[in-house]
Amino acid sequence: MNSDLGISLIVLGAGLSAIGYLILNSTPVLVLGIAVLIMGLLAAWGEGSLDRTQLELARSGWSNISALLESIGTASRAIYLPSSATEAGTSMALVPLVRPEPPSIRLPRGGFAIRYGSEGETGILLYTPGSIAVSKCLSVGAIGGDVATSLTNCLVNHLTVARGVTATPSEDGITVVIRDSRVGGELYGNELTRAILGSPTASLVASVAAESLNSPVVIESEEVRGGRDVVIRLRVIGHGP
Amino acid sequence: MVLKRLLITQLVLYTVVIAFLAYLGVDDFAIYISLVTLIYLVTIITAHPLPPGTRRVANVVTAVLVAVFLYFAITRILQILGVAFI
């Protein structure tokens, strides 16, 4: 069972049935309780199953990206850039092909494979789940100068993809703990894309943090703690252009 | 979206029918459960195709409701025929 709505309806239905049968001795209330219980069963097992199918269908795009990265032979971690670092004005991820250096120029609009460094560094510029999250949160003003507040406002209050966020500054970076992330790993599974971009949850966190700090950010590590919390360590690399 | 529409339709129909029967003073559990079964079957059929998770549960609930309905129907028919059963 994966739905709070379903469980709530089941409990409400059981309660109504018990009250109708034992206390009120009323058949209509008893039957209404049974009807609500049935609706709860449908909701509990059904909600989200169509979304999961759609997610699986959408994985083909990420499989192509994974194949592309594999054929290029890159294994560098992506650098999450704030929107000010791209001419398109969108938060994106740069996968460096040679050296993992942050760009010193604003990255051109419409580029996919781009040359960005003074020494001819090249990389691949990708839209990530975090790009979409940042554009959605920027449109409602949920991202500001403080990382912890921005993460909470964006991921918990606006997108509701997690129950809670804690951000702690650490040496040359930030440690973020996401409680009960609702973003599943189905988006791109365990392919190479995950090793480079991080999990979808980590991608959201890195993009929002980069936008809030206005600095490029790299996901250093991520681990699941206690089965519910995801601990993501971000490294801030330099300042935006 | 399919599930949301189904649940809203069911909730409206259950509430209207149960409230109407209560207003008429009906107190027979068999009548209520028969109408709930009817509403459930009609709404499930009109919402076809259901998402995979819902389909399995819907089949189980259908079997249970139809079994309960058959129990009451057979009991009534036997009563009408005057057959005594244990």
Side-chain angles (χ1 to χ4, degrees):
Chain A
M1 286 201 281
N2 55 6
S3 158
D4 293 344
L5 170 73
I7 293 167
S8 308
L9 285 174
I10 290 172
V11 172
L12 178 69
L16 268 177
S17 305
I19 291 168
Y21 183 65
L22 299 172
I23 299 168
L24 300 175
N25 200 18
S26 161
T27 310
V29 177
L30 168 66
V31 176
L32 191 63
I34 293 171
V36 172
L37 189 76
I38 292 169
M39 289 168 58
L41 290 172
L42 292 177
W45 270 277
E47 200 177 46
S49 63
L50 209 55
D51 299 343
R52 279 195 296 279
T53 308
Q54 285 171 356
L55 265 179
E56 280 165 17
L57 296 175
R59 268 180 67 174
S60 56
W62 288 107
S63 298
N64 290 334
I65 293 288
S66 194
L68 177 79
L69 293 171
E70 207 169 327
S71 65
I72 290 170
T74 184
S76 306
R77 286 262 187 185
I79 301 170
Y80 283 87
L81 304 169
S83 57
S84 62
T86 62
E87 281 183 4
T90 318
S91 164
M92 295 176 92
L94 174 70
V95 182
L97 296 183
V98 188
R99 287 189 303 150
E101 288 289 320
S104 52
I105 56 162
R106 290 186 79 193
L107 300 177
R109 181 190 291 269
F112 178 63
I114 52 158
R115 187 182 293 273
Y116 62 91
S118 53
E119 294 175 31
E121 289 95 340
T122 49
I124 289 176
L125 204 52
L126 295 175
Y127 284 96
T128 64
S131 308
I132 313 296
V134 166
S135 70
K136 275 175 168 281
C137 292
L138 280 177
S139 67
V140 294
I143 298 179
D146 184 64
V147 182
T149 312
S150 301
L151 285 167
T152 304
N153 280 344
C154 180
L155 303 183
V156 179
N157 298 336
H158 183 56
L159 298 176
T160 62
V161 292
R163 275 193 202 274
V165 178
T166 317
T168 320
S170 57
E171 203 177 324
D172 76 359
I174 305 163
T175 303
V176 180
V177 180
I178 300 286
R179 191 153 46 85
D180 275 353
S181 173
R182 295 169 182 165
V183 185
E186 299 98 347
L187 195 60
Y188 39 72
N190 276 325
E191 296 180 40
L192 182 63
T193 317
R194 190 186 180 95
I196 290 172
L197 293 181
S199 68
T201 306
S203 168
L204 298 184
V205 169
S207 296
V208 173
E211 189 63 31
S212 176
L213 294 166
N214 197 27
S215 287
V217 158
V218 173
I219 299 167
E220 205 149 64
S221 67
E222 59 175 300
E223 58 179 294
V224 178
R225 199 171 59 189
R228 296 174 70 182
D229 296 350
V230 184
V231 182
I232 300 156
R233 287 186 188 83
L234 302 174
R235 186 159 49 90
V236 182
I237 45 170
H239 298 282
Chain B
M1 207 60 199
V2 179
L3 189 64
K4 200 172 161 186
R5 263 205 306 270
L6 171 71
L7 292 179
I8 290 170
T9 313
Q10 283 193 346
L11 185 65
V12 169
L13 289 174
Y14 287 145
T15 311
V16 168
V17 168
I18 292 171
F20 185 63
L21 288 177
Y23 169 74
L24 293 176
V26 177
D27 202 37
D28 190 345
F29 183 75
I31 295 174
Y32 281 97
I33 213 68
S34 305
L35 284 171
V36 164
T37 307
L38 186 68
I39 291 169
Y40 176 82
L41 291 175
V42 169
T43 50
I44 285 290
I45 288 166
T46 47
H48 180 81
L50 288 170
T54 317
R55 206 179 305 146
R56 279 192 294 274
V57 184
N59 290 340
V60 174
V61 175
T62 303
V64 172
L65 283 177
V66 169
V68 173
F69 170 76
L70 282 177
Y71 167 77
F72 284 119
I74 290 167
T75 311
R76 292 295 158 90
I77 291 167
L78 290 177
Q79 273 175 358
I80 291 166
L81 294 175
V83 179
F85 61 97
I86 303 163

